Amino acid sequence: MENALSLIQAWINNSRWKVQIISRTDHNDRCDSLLGLSEHSTLGTIINHVGGISAANGVIRHFGGNNKFNLSVKCVNQLKDKVPNAFKGVLVVADDIYGGLFGINNSIPVAKPGVMMYLPPDSYVWESLDVGHSAFVNWTMSGDVALFYKKYEKVPVEGNIPFDKVLDYNPPLWAESVKTGNFKYILSDSSQMHKIRAQILEQLP
């Protein structure tokens, strides 16, 4: 059985959205040593062959192998002995420009292991997406991403957001003014925002 590279490339070629590949900086930390994954899997192929994938016109960013942004699957999850240590019970594999996180469930009780989860930017409760990782990656290439983010359609976004930045809004996205789009934002480092969200989750009961 071959790796999933041809499949992923076909998704990219047929994408209704702009897709950008983030290069790997080296070929260390292969998927088998990091997670015990086979390259036959979509995630294994992404880790081994690219540093990341910016999909859906840059709205969703998939993490891969080592890259210049220090936003690899290994770094984001603080992997040690094949176990993610940043977010309890979830392997984070992507984020979005609003600060939301996408992860593969390991032990969160709201979904079966292996199911994709989403942590919205305005919530600290993981939500099940009811699909596996491969289907999720395909959806970011050709699915109705605009409908998924319809709640934020009035929230301002200007230009192309870098792979390592998230939109840090004032007031925050959970505020009532999300309905009017009366927001201002700055660009904040994704890594720092991930750490803040992980710390808050850790403190919750």
Side-chain angles (χ1 to χ4, degrees):
M1 183 177 179
E2 298 179 355
N3 62 34
L5 196 59
S6 296
L7 180 62
I8 296 171
Q9 188 62 60
W11 291 342
I12 293 173
N13 293 343
N14 295 319
S15 178
R16 59 190 295 190
W17 314 106
K18 179 182 177 182
V19 179
Q20 179 184 3
I21 301 299
I22 306 300
S23 300
R24 284 196 62 146
T25 53
D26 58 53
H27 292 284
N28 301 325
D29 300 324
R30 308 282 289 180
C31 63
D32 53 348
S33 61
L34 281 179
L35 292 167
L37 276 180
S38 166
E39 193 178 311
H40 299 158
S41 67
T42 302
L43 180 57
T45 297
I46 291 174
I47 290 173
N48 282 3
H49 289 271
V50 299
I53 303 174
S54 175
N57 290 342
V59 173
I60 298 174
R61 294 81 65 93
H62 300 275
F63 306 130
N66 295 332
N67 56 65
K68 65 180 182 180
F69 301 109
N70 291 319
L71 287 172
S72 65
V73 169
K74 178 183 179 180
C75 291
V76 171
N77 292 280
Q78 300 174 21
L79 286 174
K80 185 176 182 181
D81 297 327
K82 302 179 182 178
V83 176
N85 290 283
F87 296 88
K88 186 182 298 183
V90 178
L91 178 74
V92 172
V93 293
D95 71 358
D96 61 39
I97 60 173
Y98 303 105
L101 298 170
F102 297 92
I104 300 174
N105 186 34
N106 181 32
S107 60
I108 300 295
V110 298
K112 295 179 180 179
V115 170
M116 286 298 303
M117 309 281 287
Y118 182 57
L119 187 70
D122 56 354
S123 169
Y124 278 91
V125 178
W126 287 98
E127 302 173 357
S128 174
L129 298 180
D130 296 322
V131 297
H133 179 258
S134 292
F136 165 69
V137 174
N138 187 15
W139 170 79
T140 66
M141 309 291 182
S142 59
D144 197 343
V145 175
L147 179 62
F148 185 80
Y149 290 106
K150 185 174 178 59
K151 181 178 181 181
Y152 307 121
E153 64 182 352
K154 294 184 178 180
V155 173
V157 179
E158 298 177 3
N160 296 320
I161 309 304
F163 189 82
D164 62 340
K165 304 294 182 184
V166 296
L167 303 171
D168 190 356
Y169 287 97
N170 184 24
L173 289 178
W174 48 259
E176 187 68 18
S177 49
V178 70
K179 298 177 181 178
T180 64
N182 186 23
F183 284 82
K184 295 182 179 180
Y185 69 80
I186 61 172
L187 293 180
S188 293
D189 289 336
S190 298
S191 295
Q192 186 61 30
M193 294 297 286
H194 296 164
K195 291 177 181 177
I196 291 172
R197 302 214 74 190
Q199 289 169 358
I200 293 174
L201 278 171
E202 188 68 27
Q203 295 169 6
L204 295 177

